[in-house]
Every structure is written in structure tokens, then in C-alpha cells.
């Protein structure tokens, strides 16, 4: 098996113990190289010989392994998140602890993150941005239906495969960190202030509508090339999310169509009751706004599958065909769901060792 091109963001670090993991093994996984780092974890590319595949291993800070509250929450949440199987959710294969190293084994994605894409392209074309947000919303819908709120929806947690799929990662990490005994917090909410909902930023209980708010801020970023609220410190950003209106003029300057602007404004409404209440409702609004803007989704048909896919009429709907009645009912009328099934041969095997 040949190593694939590595597009994970590389970041420097000074943790010699973690750097020394390269060449060693965690369980059955041999560490190949360090491919990323952030405030909550360091990510390594590793090789799994028995399945002849590469995986990504996220190693959490060593001090967490010594915190019994964290370990308990980690096990509970990892098991819950590992049960989420969806084309737009990064699959967890395994997790464990070895020599005070707590780690999660995940699917390896070779296309970088949405954050990387935005760093290069700044703003995205409207159809591409909406396509990514619908994929993210589909993944969130799966999680929400299982009672899991992401709590840290942001471009850095959206991985992009080279075939056009977006996969959400780091489900439950913020929830695991809430309530740990040795955590130094910024303000009263755990997450990323630039994308955090007002209720999360002020330490209030959150539900699926908080994720919808964060997704709205991500969509704003995709369309304009920047987040709506910035400041020198996280607390000030949180206050802006709480009190300042969304700068819709930035969307207008970027040439975003009015129907799309209206969807973004409702996604990022200050009060949860004023937002879309479910991701299903949001997906319907996004697809309708795209149609109203006379735009269409980017075509991402898989090689060799175009002849098997349903034809679309001029309005982007499935062309009349009695054989597709069942598909139309199953897909709730959304072409998107038909298009988003993994292509044949997509091997997403789950290995949960507990």
C-alpha cells in the first residue's frame, strides 16, 4: 500500500514525548508521522498492518489520562460517537489508553480540511459553500437523531475527501472536556469562540440549535472569506455573538444572493427559537434558496456511476420515472440524499474494541 499525499495541516510543537511516538506502536497501529496539532490534541498518521490501511490517530494531552473524570467521560462519549455511521461523519475505528497516552483511531482523510480550503481560496463559490453545508447538516442530523450535539462545529473539524465528500470530525470532544477537573477555561463555554453560539459561549445548556448556529457562522465564513465577529480576546468575541447583529452587509458585498443571505441570517439568529429547529428544516431551506437564486449544486457524480444515477429535469428535480418512486419517497424528495451514498467499494469498516 502506497502512502497517500498528506494534506493535513502541519504545526510545530514542543512536546518531545509526543514527537518520540513516531516509529512506535499504539496497540496494533504503527505511528508513521505527525500530521497536525491543535489545542486539544496531536494527530498522527499511522499504519494498520492487518487491514493494510492508513488511519489517523488523535493523541490527547497526557494530563487528561491522569484525570479519572476525563477518562470516564472519554470512554462514554467515544463509544457513543463510534456508533454514528454516516457518509458525512468521520468514522471512529478504535480508542484506547497505553502508557498514559489516551488516543482515538479514526478514518484517514487525504484532502485536508475546510479550514485549509478557506486559507487558500478565502471565499468559496456559493454552490460549493452550500453543498458543503448541506453535507455537514446531513452528518449533524445523524448525530442529533442519536442525541449527540457536536458543540464545536468549525472549518477545522470538517475534513474534505478528494471525491468531494465532507466529513465532520471531533464529535463530543467539547462535551468530554466539560466537567473535567483540571481544565482551564476561556469564559464559561468550551468550543471555538469565533463559531460558538451565544448560549454556549455563556455556559448555558445547548441542543441541536447551537450546532445550527455554528454551521451558520461557518457558512458566513465560506461565503465572505472571514468570520463575522473578531476581537483581540475570546471573551469579547463571545460578547459580540451575544449582542451584535450579524454583519449582513458583508454578504451583500460578496455578492451572495438574497435567498442565501436570508438562510444564513436565520441560522445565526441570537435566540435558539428563532433559528431553524432541525437540520432537516435547514437542508430544505438551503436547497430552496439555491433554486431561488437560480444556482445548482456542484456535480460530484462518482466515476462509472453516472449511467445508474437518476436524470434531473430543468428544475433540478428527479425526472419522471415510475421505477424511481420508491427512491423519491425514501429520499424525502431530495436529490442530495441519493447523490451522497458512498460509491461501491468504499471500505468503511468499523473496529470497536471494547
Amino acid at each position: 500500500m502506497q502512502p497517500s499525499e498528506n494534506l493535513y495541516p502541519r504545526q510545530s510543537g514542543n512536546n518531545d514525548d509526543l514527537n518520540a511516538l513516531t516509529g512506535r506502536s499504539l496497540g496494533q497501529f504503527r505511528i508513521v508521522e505527525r500530521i497536525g496539532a491543535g489545542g486539544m490534541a496531536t494527530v498522527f498518521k499511522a499504519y494498520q498492518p492487518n487491514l493494510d490501511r492508513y488511519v489517523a490517530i488523535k493523541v490527547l494531552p497526557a494530563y487528561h489520562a491522569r484525570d479519572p473524570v476525563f477518562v470516564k467521560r472519554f470512554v462514554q462519549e467515544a463509544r457513543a460517537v463510534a456508533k454514528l455511521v454516516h457518509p458525512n461523519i468521520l468514522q471512529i475505528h478504535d480508542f484506547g489508553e497505553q502508557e498514559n497516552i489516551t488516543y482515538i483511531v479514526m478514518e484517514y482523510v487525504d484532502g485536508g480540511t475546510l479550514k485549509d480550503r478557506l486559507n487558500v481560496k478565502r471565499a468559496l463559490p456559493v454552490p460549493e459553500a452550500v453543498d458543503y453545508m448541506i453535507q455537514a447538516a446531513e452528518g449533524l442530523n445523524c448525530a442529533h437523531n442519536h442525541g449527540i450535539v457536536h458543540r464545536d462545529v468549525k472549518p477545522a473539524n470538517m475534513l474534505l475527501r478528494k471525491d468531494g465528500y465532507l466529513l465532520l470530525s471531533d464529535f463530543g470532544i467539547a462535551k468530554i472536556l466539560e466537567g473535567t477537573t483540571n481544565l482551564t477555561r476561556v469564559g464559561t463555554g468550551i468550543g471555538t469562540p469565533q463559531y460558538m453560539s451565544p448560549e454556549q459561549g455563556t455556559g448555558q445548556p445547548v441542543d441541536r440549535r447551537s450546532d445550527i448556529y455554528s454551521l451558520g457562522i461557518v457558512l458566513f465564513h465560506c461565503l465572505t472569506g472571514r468570520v463575522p465577529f473578531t476581537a483581540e480576546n475570546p471573551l469579547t468575541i463571545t460578547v459580540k455573538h451575544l449582542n451584535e447583529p450579524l454583519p449582513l452587509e458583508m454578504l451583500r458585498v460578496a455578492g451572495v444572493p438574497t435567498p442565501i443571505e436570508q438562510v444564513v441570517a436565520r441560522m445565526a439568529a441570537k435566540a435558539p427559537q428563532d433559528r431553524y429547529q432541525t437540520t432537516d428544516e435547514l437542508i430544505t431551506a438551503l436547497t430552496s434558496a439555491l433554486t431561488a437564486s437560480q444556482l445548482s449544486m456542484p456535480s460530484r457524480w462518482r466515476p462509472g456511476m453516472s449511467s445508474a444515477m437518476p436524470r434531473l429535469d430543468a428544475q433540478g428535480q428527479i425526472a419522471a420515472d415510475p421505477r424511481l418512486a420508491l427512491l423519491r419517497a425514501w429520499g424525502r424528495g431530495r436529490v442530495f440524499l441519493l447523490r451522497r451514498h458512498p460509491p461501491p467499494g468504499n471500505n468503511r469498516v468499523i473496529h470497536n474494541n471494547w
Side-chain angles (χ1 to χ4, degrees):
M1 183 174 184
Q2 296 298 317
S4 56
E5 180 184 359
N6 173 31
L7 295 178
Y8 277 78
R10 295 180 179 273
Q11 300 183 27
S12 60
N14 54 10
N15 193 324
D16 293 336
D17 291 338
L18 290 181
N19 290 333
L21 284 176
T22 301
R24 294 176 53 192
S25 293
L26 289 176
Q28 60 181 308
F29 307 97
R30 187 175 73 244
I31 304 297
V32 175
E33 61 178 326
R34 176 174 171 165
I35 56 177
M40 293 183 181
T42 302
V43 184
F44 294 89
K45 182 179 179 180
Y47 179 64
Q48 185 179 11
N50 63 335
L51 291 179
D52 188 29
R53 68 176 178 183
Y54 287 101
V55 297
I57 295 185
K58 178 162 289 191
V59 176
L60 301 174
Y63 58 81
H64 283 314
R66 298 188 292 269
D67 183 345
V69 176
F70 172 85
V71 172
K72 180 180 179 181
R73 295 175 72 92
F74 172 79
V75 171
Q76 291 175 340
E77 200 67 16
R79 285 177 172 169
V81 174
K83 294 176 183 177
L84 300 179
V85 179
H86 188 277
N88 298 117
I89 293 179
L90 187 72
Q91 185 63 56
I92 292 180
H93 296 312
D94 196 3
F95 71 89
E97 188 273 336
Q98 177 178 313
E99 299 175 0
N100 286 329
I101 298 173
T102 306
Y103 63 92
I104 307 173
V105 183
M106 305 169 294
E107 177 181 356
Y108 177 74
V109 178
D110 59 1
T113 68
L114 181 58
K115 179 180 179 181
D116 299 331
R117 181 74 59 86
L118 291 171
N119 285 341
V120 172
K121 299 182 69 174
R122 305 296 291 177
L124 303 179
V126 172
E128 183 179 2
V130 172
D131 178 40
Y132 284 145
M133 294 307 98
I134 288 179
Q135 291 193 62
E138 290 284 2
L140 288 173
N141 185 61
C142 173
H144 294 165
N145 288 339
H146 285 79
I148 295 175
V149 179
H150 192 292
R151 290 175 166 82
D152 198 17
V153 175
K154 60 183 179 181
N157 285 338
M158 298 178 180
L159 302 181
L160 304 179
R161 282 209 322 237
K162 290 182 178 179
D163 60 5
Y165 277 92
L166 179 147
L167 289 82
L168 289 168
S169 68
D170 281 5
F171 274 91
I173 294 295
K175 182 179 179 181
I176 294 170
L177 292 176
E178 289 174 355
T180 56
T181 58
N182 58 5
L183 182 68
T184 300
R185 305 188 182 196
V186 176
T188 55
I190 299 173
T192 305
Q194 288 85 351
Y195 305 94
M196 197 184 299
S197 69
E199 63 269 26
Q200 185 178 5
T202 52
Q204 300 175 45
V206 299
D207 57 26
R208 63 179 66 192
R209 296 171 297 181
S210 179
D211 282 347
I212 289 173
Y213 179 97
S214 297
L215 194 62
I217 302 301
V218 174
L219 179 53
F220 185 102
H221 188 175
C222 289
L223 294 170
T224 66
R226 56 169 291 183
V227 293
F229 305 117
T230 59
E232 293 183 357
N233 62 79
L235 183 58
T236 303
I237 295 175
T238 298
V239 171
K240 288 186 175 183
H241 276 286
L242 192 62
N243 296 321
E244 292 191 7
L246 197 69
L248 297 177
E249 64 277 4
M250 290 174 59
L251 294 170
R252 294 163 191 159
V253 169
V256 176
T258 299
I260 302 295
E261 175 190 317
Q262 292 170 344
V263 173
V264 176
R266 186 172 174 188
M267 292 173 72
K270 302 298 183 187
Q273 63 269 24
D274 294 333
R275 301 171 200 152
Y276 298 103
Q277 299 300 288
T278 66
T279 47
D280 268 337
E281 187 182 354
L282 168 61
I283 291 165
T284 298
L286 283 170
T287 52
S288 298
L290 208 59
T291 300
S293 304
Q294 299 184 328
L295 298 170
S296 58
M297 289 282 199
S299 176
R300 299 195 192 278
W301 301 107
R302 302 300 184 261
M305 294 187 67
S306 57
S307 61
M309 291 292 101
R311 293 181 296 106
L312 306 183
D313 61 23
Q315 285 72 45
Q317 302 299 314
I318 299 176
D321 186 336
R323 295 172 299 173
L324 296 175
L326 181 61
L327 289 177
R328 193 179 289 115
W330 172 79
R332 290 170 290 172
R334 291 208 301 273
V335 176
F336 174 81
L337 284 182
L338 299 175
R339 177 168 70 83
R340 286 301 169 197
H341 274 297
N346 181 22
N347 184 16
R348 306 254 326 258
V349 181
I350 307 171
H351 292 272
N352 297 327
N353 301 324
W354 53 73

